[in-house]
């Protein structure tokens, strides 16, 4: 696909602008041409839907960035309200959400001059917002408004019930290692992700694609699986023993020769 | 000669290495890299093969805090691209998030001091708000508390309000110490902060904007903690509610004047 569908881009633009109350575009045709130009640069995005959305988002981010630099009230309203909505989704009361958003806007203002790529504005801005939020939580030492404490509920996620019998497991030569992993990681998806990414050194992107899960999920599964194994002293000892045995048997084999 | 890398050896050692290795990045360094990483990932770059992210990926494998941050950031960006209805929020007046023209925001203490010096000369706002607050939290002793209010406001105007000593425990809400060390600093600080954020110079000016600021309980808790006071939950709740009611009553009166 070498050229975007202008109708598709227009539809996506209208959906996103409605949802996010993006109002900084006066000349829609000109803007959509910029979106199409951005779309052509995103050659590595796999699905056309994701490519369209990203093209709109990145083009609007550049527009927003330009207006923020000019201290345009509407631009700051839009960014501030995006922060407020994010906090509201985590059930933070609106007055507190507004305070957080204001502090984050000051942070964005201070760092705008160093932002090299205006198309990346949203990821930089949300990073600042999340940092402000985390510092705020640390300062007041209140209950976590986020989904989890990192080591806590990050480890507690519904188990994937699919039968994920994997070829990867059959590729494991060491039956003993496989048995250890199966005992320590009963969640088959976590086990397969750890096995393929940490042992077989496969790319998480390929693993995510094969398991039909988002890449972020594959990364979380890997983190969770490794954390679970690290937190299991018995497994760690058995693994070290296994590595030791392999070394020893290799040594014996060498001596015999 | 033995094979240095038998499959058994490789598998067990790969896993052991993945479990035992640590990254050379601090949380802050990792989180600084995350916006660019997430941008690249969303654009379809094979970030797992890019050397510039190798250290970050190792960090994410071992750090729950930064994995949570990564998830939050990707979640925030995904929510921008959703097409369902946005989360509802109360209207927020325009201009609230636009940073002030000053190059550097003044530190909070400095703002409070300037406010005390420049804006409290007629003292009407703080006097009335403090009076009404105390009438609610200490209805039996408001007069006793307010005998010294003018003296306190003299101190406030000179930037000499004491924030109290660390480790104070809760005491009778009507005592003059409470007025000196808690209520007046709280009202002054809150009003100074609100005026700064709403970009108006006087409390009367704030009334004209139609804004009804709301002091959150979290904020009161935070301010009390900074000043070294410990009130129990109910006292904090009562004080918050009393200040909010007093501020609203004052602004209503000013707006209708």
């Amino acid at each position: 696909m070498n050229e975007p569908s202008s109708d598709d881009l227009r539809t996506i633009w209208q959906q996103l602008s409605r949802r996010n109350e993006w109002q900084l575009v006066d000349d829609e045709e000109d803007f959509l041409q910029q979106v199409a130009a951005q779309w052509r640069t995103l050659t590595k995005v796999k699905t056309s839907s994701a490519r369209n959305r990203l093209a709109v988002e990145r083009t609007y981010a550049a527009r927003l960035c330009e207006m923020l630099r000019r201290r345009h009230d509407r631009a700051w309203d839009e960014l501030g309200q995006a922060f407020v909505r994010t906090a509201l989704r985590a059930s933070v009361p609106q007055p507190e959400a507004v305070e957080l958003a204001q502090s984050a806007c000051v942070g964005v203002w201070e760092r705008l001059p160093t932002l090299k790529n205006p198309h990346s504005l949203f990821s930089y801005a949300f990073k600042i917002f999340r940092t402000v939020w985390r510092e705020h939580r640390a300062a007041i030492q209140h209950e976590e408004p986020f989904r989890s404490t990192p080591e806590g509920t990050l480890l507690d996620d519904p188990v994937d019930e699919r039968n994920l019998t994997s070829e990867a497991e059959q590729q494991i030569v060491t039956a003993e290692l496989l048995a250890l992993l199966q005992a320590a990681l009963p969640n088959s998806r976590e086990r397969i992700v750890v096995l393929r990414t940490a042992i077989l050194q496969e790319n998480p992107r390929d693993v995510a694609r094969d398991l039909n899960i988002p890449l972020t999920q594959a990364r979380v599964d890997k983190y969770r699986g490794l954390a679970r194994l690290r937190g299991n002293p018995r497994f760690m000892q058995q693994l070290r023993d296994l590595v030791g045995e392999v070394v020893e048997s290799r040594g014996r084999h060498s001596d015999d020769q | 000669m033995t094979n240095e890398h038998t499959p058994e050896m490789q598998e067990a050692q790969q896993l052991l290495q993945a479990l035992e290795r640590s990254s050379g990045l601090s949380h802050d360094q990792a989180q600084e890299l995350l916006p660019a990483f997430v941008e690249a990932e969303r654009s379809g770059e094979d970030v797992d093969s890019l050397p510039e992210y190798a250290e970050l990926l190792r960090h994410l494998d071992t750090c729950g805090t930064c994995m949570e941050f990564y998830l939050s950031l990707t979640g925030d960006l995904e929510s921008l691209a959703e097409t369902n209805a946005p989360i509802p929020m109360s209207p927020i007046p325009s201009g609230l998030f636009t940073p002030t023209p000053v190059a550097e925001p003044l530190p909070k203490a400095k703002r409070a001091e300037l406010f005390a010096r420049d804006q409290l000369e007629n003292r009407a706002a703080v006097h009335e708000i403090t009076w009404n607050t105390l009438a609610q939290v200490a209805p039996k002793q408001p007069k006793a508390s307010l005998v010294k209010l003018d003296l306190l406001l003299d101190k406030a105007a000179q930037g000499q309000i004491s924030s109290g000593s660390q480790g104070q425990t809760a005491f009778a809400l009507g005592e003059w110490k409470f007025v000196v060390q808690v209520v007046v600093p709280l009202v002054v600080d809150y009003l100074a902060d609100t005026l700064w954020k709403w970009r108006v110079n006087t409390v009367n000016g704030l009334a004209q904007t139609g804004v009804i600021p709301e002091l959150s309980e979290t904020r009161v808790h935070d301010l009390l903690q900074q000043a070294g006071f410990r009130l129990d939950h109910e006292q904090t709740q009562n004080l918050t509610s009393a200040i909010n009611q007093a501020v609203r009553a004052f602004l209503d009166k000013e707006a209708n004047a």
Side-chain angles (χ1 to χ4, degrees):
Chain A
M1 189 165 40
N2 296 322
E3 279 305 305
S5 150
S6 55
D7 286 346
D8 286 353
L9 292 184
R10 188 184 306 278
T11 304
I12 291 291
W13 156 242
Q14 286 169 351
Q15 284 173 346
L16 296 188
S17 62
R18 225 179 0 256
R19 176 186 161 76
N20 296 299
E21 297 182 48
W22 288 343
Q23 297 172 12
L24 297 175
V25 172
D26 297 324
D27 183 343
E28 191 173 89
E29 291 309 317
D30 176 58
F31 177 75
L32 289 173
Q33 281 178 22
Q34 292 174 41
V35 173
Q38 180 64 219
W39 185 94
R40 288 181 198 102
T41 69
L42 298 169
T43 52
K44 293 178 179 170
V45 181
K46 296 293 179 203
T47 69
S48 65
S49 156
R51 190 172 177 180
N52 291 345
R53 278 170 206 283
L54 199 56
V56 169
E57 181 200 302
R58 288 172 63 90
T59 308
Y60 195 78
R63 171 71 53 101
L64 182 61
C65 189
E66 183 192 335
M67 304 303 264
L68 291 175
R69 283 179 167 144
R70 293 186 202 166
R71 298 191 61 256
H72 190 288
D73 276 345
R74 176 66 213 167
W76 285 101
D77 288 349
E78 289 185 7
L79 185 66
Q81 286 170 17
F83 294 153
V84 171
R85 280 190 209 99
T86 303
L88 291 179
R89 269 197 298 276
S91 305
V92 173
Q94 184 159 327
E96 199 174 334
V98 169
E99 295 237 353
L100 287 170
Q102 285 178 317
S103 300
C105 283
V106 170
V108 171
W109 173 249
E110 287 169 347
R111 295 188 59 175
L112 265 185
T114 61
L115 175 62
K116 288 177 189 155
N117 184 358
H119 293 106
S120 306
L121 172 77
F122 285 121
S123 49
Y124 283 87
F126 275 107
K127 185 260 172 187
I128 290 168
F129 176 65
R130 287 283 172 179
T131 305
V132 166
W133 195 352
R134 187 190 55 199
E135 286 168 356
H136 173 74
R137 278 182 303 156
I140 60 172
Q141 297 174 331
H142 263 199
E143 206 171 309
E144 291 269 320
F146 281 80
R147 281 170 293 170
S148 66
T149 56
E151 311 300 340
T153 46
L154 249 187
L155 292 178
D156 300 325
D157 203 38
V159 172
D160 193 329
E161 300 290 350
R162 291 178 293 168
N163 179 8
L164 294 171
T165 304
S166 163
E167 283 181 17
E169 290 195 324
Q170 292 160 17
Q171 290 170 26
I172 284 280
V173 178
T174 318
E176 202 174 343
L177 177 59
L178 182 56
L180 286 181
L181 277 173
Q182 284 171 336
L185 294 178
N187 180 333
S188 60
R189 197 181 71 205
E190 272 177 27
R191 187 171 66 247
I192 288 164
V193 170
V194 166
L195 200 152
R196 289 185 58 177
T197 57
I199 301 178
L200 299 177
Q201 303 284 296
E202 289 186 49
N203 192 316
R205 193 162 70 164
D206 300 333
V207 178
R209 186 198 56 226
D210 292 349
L211 296 177
N212 196 24
I213 56 175
L215 178 53
T216 48
Q217 184 64 57
R219 295 200 195 287
V220 173
D221 284 346
K222 184 182 179 192
Y223 163 78
R224 282 185 177 130
L226 292 177
R228 236 184 276 282
L229 295 177
R230 263 186 229 108
N232 182 340
R234 187 156 175 253
F235 172 85
M236 291 301 290
Q237 189 53 54
Q238 287 170 321
L239 181 64
R240 287 192 189 99
D241 290 347
L242 188 61
V243 171
E245 278 172 24
V246 172
V247 172
E248 275 177 26
S249 75
R250 196 189 62 187
R252 278 198 304 273
H253 181 64
S254 178
D255 289 345
D256 292 346
Q257 289 183 343
Chain B
M1 189 176 153
T2 56
N3 183 355
E4 285 292 315
H5 299 286
T6 63
E8 296 91 333
M9 182 78 174
Q10 270 187 350
E11 287 167 2
Q13 277 202 331
Q14 291 281 23
L15 182 57
L16 195 57
Q17 278 169 10
L19 289 166
E20 289 184 333
R21 77 181 154 214
S22 57
S23 102
L25 296 179
S26 67
H27 296 310
D28 285 347
Q29 288 170 325
Q31 289 171 21
E32 276 303 309
L33 291 170
L34 275 175
F37 174 80
V38 168
E39 276 296 307
E41 190 178 77
R42 295 176 82 222
S43 302
E45 294 288 343
D46 182 6
V47 287
D48 292 274
S49 304
L50 295 175
E52 60 260 44
Y53 297 122
E55 199 66 30
L56 173 63
L57 284 163
R58 274 197 285 279
H59 186 87
L60 287 178
D61 280 348
T62 58
C63 177
T65 304
C66 293
M67 176 55 81
E68 179 77 5
F69 203 93
Y70 161 73
L71 277 180
S72 301
L73 197 53
T74 52
D76 292 343
L77 295 171
E78 278 164 22
S79 74
L80 277 182
E82 287 170 3
T83 49
N84 54 340
I87 194 158
M89 62 181 172
S90 314
I92 299 175
S94 181
L96 180 57
F97 299 107
T98 313
T100 49
V102 291
E104 292 289 330
L106 290 171
K108 199 160 76 174
K110 185 69 182 167
R111 277 186 272 135
E113 188 190 326
L114 287 176
F115 175 81
R117 283 183 185 164
D118 299 339
Q119 305 300 330
L120 297 189
E121 290 198 345
N122 69 17
R123 299 171 184 181
V126 171
H127 200 295
E128 193 167 331
I129 292 167
T130 306
W131 176 280
N132 289 335
T133 300
L134 286 168
Q136 289 179 63
V137 296
K140 291 179 186 167
Q141 300 172 293
K143 285 185 182 171
S145 303
L146 292 175
V147 166
K148 294 174 188 289
L149 185 58
D150 276 333
L151 184 63
L152 302 178
L153 293 178
D154 280 340
K155 288 190 172 186
Q158 294 159 24
Q160 291 177 351
I161 293 176
S162 160
S163 62
S165 57
Q166 290 292 323
Q168 290 271 10
T169 51
F171 38 78
L173 295 180
E175 282 179 9
W176 71 270
K177 269 188 177 177
F178 182 72
V179 184
V180 177
Q181 296 180 329
V182 179
V183 181
V184 169
L186 204 52
V187 169
V188 168
D189 186 73
Y190 172 53
L191 286 178
D193 218 29
T194 306
L195 296 187
W196 178 74
K197 283 184 172 166
W198 289 86
R199 298 188 301 153
V200 289
N201 294 324
T202 64
V203 181
N204 305 49
L206 184 65
Q208 301 309 316
T209 64
V211 166
I212 304 174
E214 193 166 340
L215 179 60
S216 69
E217 199 183 319
T218 306
R219 183 85 194 283
V220 173
H221 178 271
D222 191 16
L223 289 168
L224 286 171
Q225 213 173 38
Q226 282 173 14
F229 287 97
R230 287 192 293 271
L231 296 193
D232 66 26
H233 178 66
E234 194 181 341
Q235 285 173 319
T236 308
Q237 211 170 29
N238 289 342
L239 182 59
T240 310
S241 155
I243 293 177
N244 274 325
Q245 283 183 38
V247 169
R248 272 198 294 274
F250 182 84
L251 293 178
D252 280 349
K253 201 183 77 179
E254 287 296 312
N256 294 326

